[in-house]
Amino acid sequence: MRILVLGGKGFVGSHLIDALLSEGAEVRCFDRPDPARIAELLRWNSADSFELHEGDFLNEGDLRKALSGCEICFHLISTTVPGNSNDDPVFDIQTNLAGTVRFLELAVEARIKKVIFISSGGTVYGIPKKIPISEDHPTNPICSYGITKLAIEKYLNLFYHLYGLEYRVLRVSNLYGERQRFRSSQGAVAVFLGKAIRNEPIEVWGDGSVIRDYLHVSDAVRALIKVMNYEGETRIFNIGSGEGKSLNEVIEAIEAILGRKVDKKFLAGRKFDVPVNILSTKLAEEELEWKPTVGFEEGLKRFANWMLESVFLEKER
């Protein structure tokens, strides 16, 4: 069985490929050329069961070649993040939604048996009516990113009914961990920790009371492997820690690990930030026999150690 990972060089994708190869799977990675990911490629290329296909997700020819001969496909590609999706919703629709619908057409053509899609547990529900949020909670996203993710979920269901294309959706919470880019604007834990290590002020949108559900990437990858082998009828699962931490609490945890205070700068709140988001993982625990195993403090230590090494290597260069 050959497994295709769309976005395999990315933060989550690279960890997923490591896990799949360790289980003896035949893995094909599809992604754009990225010199920053050369370390992963050098490691993967030593495995006879690994293939690399580089190309553009929106290029039909590139995608058709990547899909050929595969049975299962993980779709991890996204061109936007919650923070910038509202800036250009048309771009979000064209690249993510329209691009994915074309991918699904090609997947049917290639006789793909199952598509596993990472959706957004942090944005598809919008402002919660109850906490923790279960999968049957109303979905009223307040950012284009969440709307697009939700629309993709609906198209997956459409293609299942029209063509029998099996699918599973993981609505993941806020992921963090090793290999996450910490010089970008996405991911509070990564951005905050990166700035703290570089002795730069941490910019906080709002008063720091916004609460999120943070999950270490290793737990998310275990869920992806679980759902790949799952044969039950449930198609949408929340994947999170089940616990909430405010931005202020995240900063306090960073200070505890680094053993010093950090500079903070509070900015105006953002309209697309919901006040609280904590996911119920009861369904995943029952159906997938999955639950998070890495506590926030432990995960943060792992991330900090990796980041400190990365920053040190950057200075050495």
Side-chain angles (χ1 to χ4, degrees):
M1 181 172 64
R2 182 174 286 113
I3 300 168
L4 174 63
V5 181
L6 299 176
K9 293 183 194 175
F11 166 44
V12 178
S14 64
H15 285 279
L16 175 60
I17 289 178
D18 283 346
L20 291 170
L21 289 175
S22 70
E23 293 200 354
E26 298 278 339
V27 181
R28 180 179 293 167
C29 169
F30 177 81
D31 213 326
R32 296 175 297 178
D34 185 355
R37 295 297 184 182
I38 191 67
E40 284 86 359
L41 294 179
L42 289 173
R43 182 173 66 254
W44 296 335
N45 285 334
S46 64
D48 294 334
S49 55
F50 174 77
E51 294 180 24
L52 173 64
H53 282 226
E54 293 185 320
D56 185 348
F57 179 64
L58 301 180
N59 184 294
E60 184 175 327
D62 291 346
L63 203 51
R64 181 177 277 112
K65 290 177 183 177
L67 286 163
S68 178
C70 294
E71 296 180 53
I72 292 177
C73 178
F74 288 90
H75 180 6
L76 313 180
I77 288 177
S78 179
T79 62
T80 60
V81 297
N84 65 20
S85 63
N86 287 349
D87 296 339
D88 191 349
V90 173
F91 174 80
D92 193 17
I93 294 166
Q94 290 174 338
T95 57
N96 291 311
L97 180 55
T100 296
V101 173
R102 174 55 58 86
F103 151 70
L104 292 176
E105 291 175 339
L106 296 175
V108 171
E109 177 187 299
R111 299 180 183 274
I112 296 293
K113 293 182 178 178
K114 183 188 291 185
V115 173
I116 299 164
F117 175 63
I118 283 196
S119 186
S120 172
T123 63
V124 299
Y125 297 110
I127 299 173
K129 297 181 180 297
K130 59 181 180 179
I131 294 293
I133 304 168
S134 59
E135 290 83 352
D136 60 359
H137 187 283
T139 49
N140 295 300
I142 57 174
C143 69
S144 181
Y145 183 87
I147 294 172
T148 298
K149 290 287 190 184
L150 189 59
I152 289 173
E153 292 183 16
K154 300 299 184 182
Y155 272 103
L156 283 164
N157 191 55
L158 174 65
F159 274 70
Y160 167 70
H161 283 287
L162 292 179
Y163 309 109
L165 177 61
E166 271 291 357
Y167 74 95
R168 297 292 184 271
V169 171
L170 296 188
R171 291 175 175 169
V172 299
S173 63
N174 295 56
L175 300 182
Y176 71 95
E178 302 85 318
R179 302 180 198 163
Q180 189 173 21
R181 289 177 174 165
F182 52 89
R183 294 187 183 277
S184 68
S185 59
Q186 171 67 3
V189 175
V191 174
F192 288 5
L193 185 56
K195 286 185 176 293
I197 287 174
R198 299 193 304 273
N199 289 307
E200 297 174 2
I202 293 175
E203 296 181 338
V204 182
W205 300 97
D207 61 4
S209 64
V210 167
I211 294 173
R212 291 292 179 269
D213 184 332
Y214 297 101
L215 183 72
H216 191 264
V217 64
S218 62
D219 279 328
V221 168
R222 285 195 307 104
L224 287 166
I225 299 295
K226 286 276 191 181
V227 81
M228 178 183 72
N229 298 313
Y230 173 72
E231 298 297 335
E233 296 183 359
T234 304
R235 290 189 165 79
I236 297 176
F237 296 95
N238 283 342
I239 301 296
S241 70
E243 298 179 353
K245 289 193 177 294
S246 70
L247 295 176
N248 288 327
E249 288 174 324
V250 170
I251 293 173
E252 289 171 3
I254 290 172
E255 290 176 331
I257 285 176
L258 297 182
R260 57 179 169 82
K261 291 291 184 179
V262 301
D263 292 331
K264 292 169 285 190
K265 181 181 180 181
F266 291 92
L267 307 175
R270 302 179 297 187
K271 289 185 177 181
F272 62 84
D273 280 330
V274 300
V276 57
N277 179 274
I278 304 172
L279 301 180
S280 168
T281 59
K282 183 178 179 181
L283 190 59
E285 291 173 15
E286 294 175 349
E287 292 289 320
L288 301 180
E289 298 182 347
W290 172 94
K291 61 181 179 180
T293 60
V294 180
F296 184 72
E297 287 73 18
E298 173 61 27
L300 190 61
K301 287 179 184 177
R302 294 186 195 178
F303 195 12
N305 289 336
W306 174 86
M307 196 180 292
L308 284 165
E309 182 179 345
S310 299
V311 171
F312 173 76
L313 290 174
E314 284 179 0
K315 291 179 179 178
E316 286 294 298
R317 295 192 191 102

